[in-house]
Amino acid sequence: MNDKIGDICMNSVQISNVSMHFNTNKQKMNSLKEYFIGLIKRQVDYSKFIALNDISLNIEKGSVVGIVGLNGSGKSTLLKIIAGVLKPTKGKIIVTGVIAPLIELGAGFDMELTARENIYLNGAVLGFSKKMIQSKFEDIVDFSEVREFIDVPMKNYSSGMVARIAFAIATIVNPDILIVDEILSVGDFQFQKKCEDRISEMMKNNTTVIIVSHSIEQIERLCKRVIWIEKGILKMNDSTDIVCEAYKNS
Amino acid sequence: MKYYIQTFNKYLYLLFNLISKDFKIKYRRSILGILWSILNPVLMMVVITAVFLNLFKFEIDNFPIYYLTGSTIFSFFTDATTSSMTSIVGSGQIIKKIYIPKYIFPLQKCLFSFVNLFFSLIALVIMIIILKFEVTYTVILAPIPIIYILIFSLGISLILSSLTVFFRDIVHLYGVITTIWMYFTPIIYPENILSDSMLKLISFNPLYHYVGYFRDVVMYGKIPSLKVNIICIFFSIITLIIGSIIFKRTQDKFVLHI
């Protein structure tokens, strides 16, 4: 399943003229009553929120790219578009290869189930086959250090333990593209170190890594290129020193 | 098309996992566990039989079996569609975080109800044995109406699950609709009490045909005609096509509304 289609193509992610609009008024219209009232009133005025405005960029295969910007600048929206969760309102996006999205860890965990059951379930959510999860099961348990509690329902776990399992599952494959959104802030110091090591290991395997972080030091340490988004507009896309310098001074 | 089959295969294991999750969660906490799914229809049958035979004095041979065959099919339909209806909204946490083909969720709920249907069928078999009801060889055709109604339920589920994302009040309305629908399907009353005009109206009800088909092969030893088969297939396929179109057209907007 880990086809390296990306080898043929130079770019892992190709974003051309992508815009994302949220229709704030419509989103609140959740009931039939409101809908019909809207129809009768012929309510056409709605406020449009532009989360991303005409963004074009290429991310080369094997590169490590950081995305910086203030809260609400559209970073997560961009990542969600890359991950395929959101469809852009306008523009086109071409993604080559297998994506491991670490946007939010543990999507699809069911707290009533045990950790063992959740590993299989979450692995399936990420699109892994049964064989593959079985073969990597021991690795996941070792990495997350939860062996003694493996048959305990997850609702009894601490949030750090949940995060460790989630990270371990999401990174068992060597994906072509790894998307990391603020997740390195979970867990204790030791675990953060472990995660960073795992990510560095992937970088060596020619995985494209896209990191969103508010920690400028982390970005400076890991990335070669940085994209700065402000209010949905691509402000800078250059080497780490130049962008980080400008970002810090803004 | 090839692409669709590939992604479906990739997520087949997820589908299997989600159904087994539903199963584990449903039966984990109860002592009788799976037995409840068998016991429930039997208990309902006892109540309905007691009420309707004494109160309304319908003249139906083997009323318990008559009721059970009808209600098994009908409950499968309401069960599947009702649980599918909220499947997209309920899986918001996953849909917002990661890409998964979204039809997996209504399909999951339909198939889970399908698994439960087997327990109801066990109840039916048990009652047939206890009441010493004689079935003929036509009973081997029973899977056919079940397949028809599965496809029909899937179509309705696709429609409902996508509409519910945009209009949450459908959830409340649907309870009323299924009750009306039940009275428009001969489950607790015999067909012959209906007037001609009423019978005509009811023939537009797909469930009337599925229930009738099931009863024909299980109870009456009849092999349904080609015409009946065509009507059933027509309803199933049309509903599935409409459902798929509505779902496909709206699925990209789900994430903005959940």
Side-chain angles (χ1 to χ4, degrees):
Chain A
M1 69 161 288
N2 210 353
D3 294 333
K4 295 281 180 198
I5 324 157
D7 284 346
I8 314 157
C9 196
M10 275 291 286
N11 290 322
S12 271
V13 182
Q14 221 174 321
I15 300 171
S16 24
N17 306 95
V18 161
S19 295
M20 186 75 214
H21 301 172
F22 290 111
N23 188 339
T24 42
N25 221 10
K26 244 187 186 167
Q27 251 117 83
K28 283 183 216 136
M29 206 139 69
N30 267 337
S31 79
L32 281 173
K33 192 183 86 187
E34 286 167 58
Y35 179 74
F36 283 118
I37 290 174
L39 265 188
I40 291 161
K41 280 187 181 169
R42 293 193 177 270
Q43 205 173 33
V44 277
D45 57 317
Y46 53 84
S47 40
K48 206 194 270 175
F49 175 73
I50 300 171
L52 289 176
N53 193 359
D54 200 23
I55 300 238
S56 298
L57 56 94
N58 290 327
I59 296 172
E60 283 150 32
K61 182 150 179 53
S63 61
V64 182
V65 178
I67 302 180
V68 294
L70 301 174
N71 282 336
S73 56
K75 300 184 299 279
S76 293
T77 308
L78 184 62
L79 287 191
K80 281 183 175 175
I81 288 175
I82 295 173
V85 175
L86 284 174
K87 276 256 167 78
T89 320
K90 270 187 234 153
K92 222 173 132 189
I93 174 153
I94 302 165
V95 177
T96 328
V98 178
I99 305 185
L102 300 189
I103 290 179
E104 262 172 88
L105 290 170
F109 274 167
D110 196 300
M111 294 300 163
E112 290 288 327
L113 300 177
T114 66
R116 184 190 299 276
E117 290 161 340
N118 265 311
I119 288 174
Y120 281 97
L121 178 62
N122 190 239
V125 166
L126 293 170
F128 303 153
S129 68
K130 185 179 182 181
K131 229 192 246 161
M132 162 127 120
I133 303 170
Q134 265 167 348
S135 68
K136 301 275 185 178
F137 189 82
E138 290 302 313
D139 292 351
I140 296 170
V141 178
D142 285 338
F143 187 87
S144 49
E145 300 164 21
V146 290
R147 188 171 293 281
E148 320 157 46
F149 312 111
I150 195 74
D151 288 312
V152 174
M154 291 267 279
K155 58 184 173 183
N156 300 330
Y157 275 41
S158 75
S159 56
M161 285 157 90
V162 174
R164 279 192 299 214
I165 296 178
F167 185 86
I169 302 169
T171 54
I172 51 167
V173 275
N174 260 330
D176 298 311
I177 303 163
L178 181 70
I179 300 177
V180 186
D181 186 6
E182 296 285 358
I183 55 118
L184 294 179
S185 51
V186 292
D188 51 27
F189 166 74
Q190 235 182 343
F191 182 66
Q192 279 187 24
K193 177 81 178 55
K194 220 169 159 182
C195 290
E196 254 182 63
D197 288 348
R198 177 67 74 100
I199 290 175
S200 312
E201 205 179 291
M202 284 184 174
M203 290 171 186
K204 278 183 214 137
N205 291 332
N206 209 22
T207 296
T208 310
V209 183
I210 305 168
I211 300 175
V212 163
S213 180
H214 284 294
S215 152
I216 264 290
E217 293 79 36
Q218 203 172 42
I219 297 259
E220 279 175 328
R221 197 165 61 238
L222 293 168
C223 306
K224 291 177 202 120
R225 196 152 68 90
V226 177
I227 292 159
W228 178 9
I229 298 177
E230 197 177 83
K231 287 181 184 152
I233 296 163
L234 186 73
K235 193 158 180 186
M236 272 179 114
N237 176 7
D238 217 318
S239 66
T240 308
D241 337 328
I242 301 171
V243 179
C244 284
E245 195 57 36
Y247 182 64
K248 274 186 218 163
N249 293 335
S250 68
Chain B
M1 195 64 203
K2 200 182 150 205
Y3 170 77
Y4 279 111
I5 294 167
Q6 259 176 358
T7 34
F8 181 73
N9 274 335
K10 185 178 170 189
Y11 287 98
L12 198 62
Y13 178 57
L14 171 66
L15 185 63
F16 169 76
N17 248 301
L18 288 170
I19 296 169
S20 85
K21 177 194 91 172
D22 280 347
F23 195 82
K24 280 174 195 157
I25 289 174
K26 181 165 180 187
Y27 295 113
R28 181 159 282 179
R29 282 287 162 72
S30 56
I31 305 161
L32 286 174
I34 293 167
L35 260 181
W36 272 122
S37 290
I38 302 173
L39 219 55
N40 238 341
V42 173
L43 293 176
M44 273 304 280
M45 182 210 72
V46 171
V47 174
I48 298 284
T49 307
V51 171
F52 280 85
L53 282 190
N54 294 321
L55 221 58
F56 295 97
K57 311 236 184 306
F58 289 146
E59 281 180 26
I60 307 177
D61 300 329
N62 300 304
F63 185 80
I65 304 289
Y66 182 86
Y67 167 74
L68 213 50
T69 42
S71 77
T72 304
I73 293 292
F74 192 83
S75 328
F76 162 68
F77 169 74
T78 46
D79 205 33
T81 47
T82 311
S83 57
S84 297
M85 186 164 48
T86 50
S87 62
I88 296 289
V89 178
S91 309
Q93 284 311 312
I94 298 183
I95 292 171
K96 270 197 259 184
K97 285 173 191 167
I98 191 162
Y99 173 76
I100 288 176
K102 294 172 190 66
Y103 61 79
I104 290 280
F105 300 106
L107 188 60
Q108 166 207 350
K109 294 297 178 191
C110 275
L111 292 179
F112 178 55
S113 300
F114 197 62
V115 172
N116 285 324
L117 172 66
F118 279 90
F119 296 116
S120 311
L121 289 176
I122 291 174
L124 178 62
V125 171
I126 291 172
M127 287 321 292
I128 285 175
I129 294 168
I130 290 177
L131 297 172
K132 296 197 178 102
F133 182 80
E134 275 174 42
V135 284
T136 56
Y137 70 96
T138 51
V139 77
I140 53 167
L141 296 176
I144 297 173
I146 291 174
I147 298 293
Y148 289 158
I149 196 164
L150 174 68
I151 296 170
F152 177 71
S153 307
L154 188 60
I156 297 284
S157 296
L158 287 171
I159 298 172
L160 286 174
S161 59
S162 55
L163 288 182
T164 307
V165 174
F166 306 101
F167 309 109
R168 300 287 156 89
D169 30 10
I170 289 178
V171 178
H172 305 289
L173 268 176
Y174 192 61
V176 182
I177 291 171
T178 48
T179 310
I180 298 169
W181 206 331
M182 192 193 81
Y183 285 111
F184 272 90
T185 314
I187 292 169
I188 42 181
Y189 58 83
E191 229 172 275
N192 55 28
I193 64 163
L194 295 169
S195 63
D196 277 354
S197 56
M198 200 58 191
L199 213 53
K200 214 166 219 168
L201 183 68
I202 269 183
S203 69
F204 288 103
N205 173 8
L207 286 166
Y208 162 75
H209 297 282
Y210 302 130
V211 168
Y213 197 124
F214 191 64
R215 274 186 189 139
D216 275 353
V217 296
V218 174
M219 285 187 78
Y220 303 128
K222 275 200 281 184
I223 296 177
S225 65
L226 185 67
K227 190 184 158 203
V228 174
N229 275 292
I230 289 173
I231 292 172
C232 287
I233 293 173
F234 173 79
F235 277 126
S236 300
I237 298 295
I238 286 291
T239 318
L240 185 64
I241 289 173
I242 294 173
S244 307
I245 291 171
I246 292 180
F247 198 85
K248 202 170 155 51
R249 285 218 175 146
T250 51
Q251 62 177 354
D252 289 341
K253 290 187 202 135
F254 289 169
V255 67
L256 304 172
H257 294 259
I258 46 180

